[in-house]
Amino acid sequence: MKRRAFLAGMAALSAAPAHARELSWVATHGHAGFLTAQLYPGAGLTLHPEGLTENIVALTFDDGPDTAYDPEIRRILRAYGVPATYFLVGRNAQRHARLAGEIAQDGHEIGNHTWSHRRLIHCTPEEQAIELRRTNALLETVTGRPTRWFRPPFGSYDDHTLGIARAAGLETILWTVDSQDYRDHPPAVIEERVMRGLTPGAVVLMHSNHAGTVAALPRILERAKDERFRFVTLTEWKAQMERAAA
């Protein structure tokens, strides 16, 4: 009976449309506001950044680990005493497992960015589940820690994705500031895009596989410090946001 129910469930998932409706505000607008549905979809937390008692910012890096640029990003973060959250692609972490482990050992938080960086609205629910669970298993093996956070590639998700992430023990988070470093803008342009968007509670999107990110990062960290911002991991960001909403 259980086997028949399981097979029936898998058949239903496989039959779901492969090109589902886009539900992500970020995927269509570029960045989120401080609305739970836009930034932290599926969470039971109402965001009140105006209630924060200090100017926290969550700095996040997608698409690694990357052997060309991550070592220098790690060095810069270490020099400035800044923690970050890295959303790693599973197949990259498998290929560069030692580097993934070193990023975690530096004290940075590790998030799930799917196995193969597919746009999830083009995947069946079954394929989405495989992307997340396979990556979770690999990251826990490499880092020795369970993974808490998930960011869908391109910020894109459909009406199945959030539930699949929750079933895998993951919370979905997007961003309020898009550096657009992936467009290979000059470092000064990346720097200004980030600094214009910095507000208390901001979540900054960068990528650890672009040269412009490395070049822009020191000035971003210096200017943010001068403006009294403090960088935190996403787990601390959530704790502070919970206190702000209390």
Side-chain angles (χ1 to χ4, degrees):
M1 181 65 72
K2 288 184 178 179
R3 178 174 173 77
R4 284 200 299 272
F6 174 78
L7 291 174
M10 288 298 99
L13 287 174
S14 299
H19 297 273
R21 184 167 63 95
E22 178 66 71
L23 292 185
S24 171
W25 174 274
V26 160
T28 54
H29 292 77
H31 62 88
F34 285 103
L35 296 176
T36 302
Q38 295 179 14
L39 176 58
Y40 195 7
L45 173 64
T46 301
L47 302 176
H48 290 290
E50 69 279 2
L52 290 167
T53 58
E54 59 179 318
N55 296 335
I56 60 161
V57 173
L59 179 62
T60 69
F61 294 95
D62 285 10
D63 293 357
D66 182 273
T67 55
Y69 302 115
D70 267 323
E72 182 62 12
I73 290 173
R74 289 175 57 214
R75 187 196 66 77
I76 294 168
L77 294 176
R78 195 160 49 241
Y80 285 89
V82 167
T85 303
Y86 280 75
F87 286 93
L88 302 184
V89 175
R91 65 185 179 190
N92 293 347
Q94 183 183 57
R95 190 177 303 121
H96 307 300
R98 180 175 178 179
L99 178 56
E102 289 171 346
I103 292 170
Q105 289 167 11
D106 284 348
H108 304 301
E109 198 157 31
I110 303 298
N112 185 324
H113 201 40
T114 74
W115 184 264
S116 57
H117 205 268
R118 297 174 67 184
R119 191 179 290 270
L120 293 179
I121 63 169
H122 296 167
C123 300
T124 66
E126 182 182 25
E127 290 169 335
Q128 293 188 40
I130 291 169
E131 287 274 333
L132 271 60
R133 290 172 182 162
R134 187 179 182 189
T135 304
N136 265 3
L138 185 279
L139 293 179
E140 185 163 359
T141 298
V142 169
T143 68
R145 308 171 191 168
T147 304
R148 176 176 188 173
W149 297 99
F150 165 62
R151 176 174 286 159
F154 313 103
S156 177
Y157 63 86
D158 63 22
D159 55 356
H160 300 287
T161 310
L162 301 182
I164 291 168
R166 280 195 299 272
L170 297 166
E171 301 177 51
T172 302
I173 189 75
L174 297 165
W175 58 85
T176 63
V177 181
D178 183 359
S179 68
Q180 291 193 0
D181 52 356
Y182 56 89
R183 295 185 184 276
D184 292 323
H185 289 308
V189 173
I190 297 170
E191 175 189 336
E192 287 306 319
R193 283 192 61 84
V194 172
M195 295 308 302
R196 280 200 306 269
L198 282 196
T199 59
V203 179
V204 179
L205 169 66
M206 302 191 80
H207 296 78
S208 67
N209 56 351
H210 290 270
T213 307
V214 177
L217 188 57
R219 282 288 298 150
I220 291 171
L221 301 184
E222 289 167 7
R223 290 179 63 185
K225 181 179 179 181
D226 289 345
E227 295 182 21
R228 307 297 188 199
F229 286 100
R230 182 171 73 86
F231 290 98
V232 297
T233 63
L234 278 172
T235 293
E236 183 173 353
W237 174 89
K238 179 183 178 181
Q240 296 262 16
M241 283 297 197
E242 287 174 333
R243 285 195 286 272

